[in-house]
Amino acid sequence: TDNESSRYALGGVLVQFTPQGVIAVGTDGRRLAKMEGPVEGGTEAASATQPIVPARAMQLIERCLRGPDLPVLVYLHGGGWVCGSVQTHDEPCRTLANLSGCAVLSVDYRLAPEHKFPVPLDDSVAALRWVRSRAGELGLDGSRIAIGGDSAGGNLAISAAMTAGVPLRFLLLVYPCTDLRMATPSVTENSAGPFLTESIMRWFISHYVDGAT
């Protein structure tokens, strides 16, 4: 790390959401803690038949300089609901933690086409509700929760903010995908890109939402 960022020591923690509670595992595979209890206000994502939703939590270890309870950002990666992971977005999440002084929980929600809508949203809502219900145990300030994401992750962040019932301080939205109808003038104007073309966007949406074309 450079001299500026070395002031912050980041600890990687793997968090597994299960119907029975949450298991935090260090990056070396060593179990750190097990927090019992279902997700508060749980949905189908917290039912006994749901698979584990893994996530990586990153926070500033040097938090004593900022008070006992850190604000927390729940981050949802982009990738068209089809690709992307906590690994692809590890560096930007660490940068956000470094520059903001917030804890960052990067959620590895399940992906389409194996898991179409609403599964990725259910996972996002479950993660947000879990942070709210377990903030005190994690040394986080439950009154200072934000959610954010880029591209498809921004779409999930907006949807989770509207449906989870968790009071939020802030939305961090990086070029969010906010309209899946693909009917605005900008779609035609930018159909050839740059980077994302109209055909690629329609491909992503068709894999995420049943019946989309």
Side-chain angles (χ1 to χ4, degrees):
T1 58
D2 59 273
N3 291 334
E4 180 65 23
S5 62
S6 64
R7 294 184 298 112
Y8 302 107
L10 291 174
V13 180
L14 299 178
V15 178
Q16 292 182 325
F17 298 87
T18 73
Q20 291 74 36
V22 179
I23 302 173
V25 182
T27 52
D28 59 356
R30 179 173 56 89
R31 177 175 293 193
L32 300 179
K34 183 175 181 181
M35 288 155 277
E36 300 289 349
V39 176
E40 184 177 344
T43 63
E44 289 185 1
S47 73
T49 60
Q50 289 295 95
I52 290 172
V53 182
R56 176 174 295 157
M58 294 175 289
Q59 70 179 52
L60 299 173
I61 295 174
E62 209 172 6
R63 68 185 185 190
C64 57
L65 301 179
R66 299 174 180 273
D69 296 320
L70 285 173
V72 56
L73 168 67
V74 176
Y75 194 85
L76 304 162
H77 66 78
W81 308 277
V82 173
C83 53
S85 67
V86 293
Q87 284 78 28
T88 61
H89 287 64
D90 183 74
E91 183 174 348
C93 284
R94 289 178 180 272
T95 300
L96 284 170
N98 272 338
L99 298 180
S100 70
C102 292
V104 176
L105 182 77
S106 180
V107 181
D108 208 14
Y109 56 87
R110 287 169 289 172
L111 299 174
E114 292 81 5
H115 304 289
K116 291 180 177 287
F117 174 85
V119 175
L121 176 58
D122 287 343
D123 289 350
S124 304
V125 168
L128 183 58
R129 288 174 173 170
W130 177 80
V131 167
R132 168 69 169 172
S133 64
R134 297 288 185 264
E137 300 172 30
L138 299 172
L140 305 174
D141 186 346
S143 68
R144 292 189 294 166
I145 298 174
I147 191 169
D150 61 287
S151 193
N155 170 276
L156 292 172
I158 294 170
S159 300
M162 295 174 64
T163 58
V166 173
L168 298 170
R169 286 292 189 93
F170 190 75
L171 286 174
L172 177 64
L173 304 175
V174 184
Y175 48 85
C177 183
T178 59
D179 189 344
L180 304 190
R181 294 171 296 181
M182 299 288 288
T184 60
S186 64
V187 172
T188 303
E189 293 167 5
N190 299 282
S191 62
F195 187 59
L196 279 178
T197 65
E198 179 181 352
S199 62
I200 292 175
M201 279 299 302
R202 291 189 183 278
W203 184 87
F204 279 132
I205 295 170
S206 68
H207 281 70
Y208 179 52
V209 181
D210 279 326
T213 57

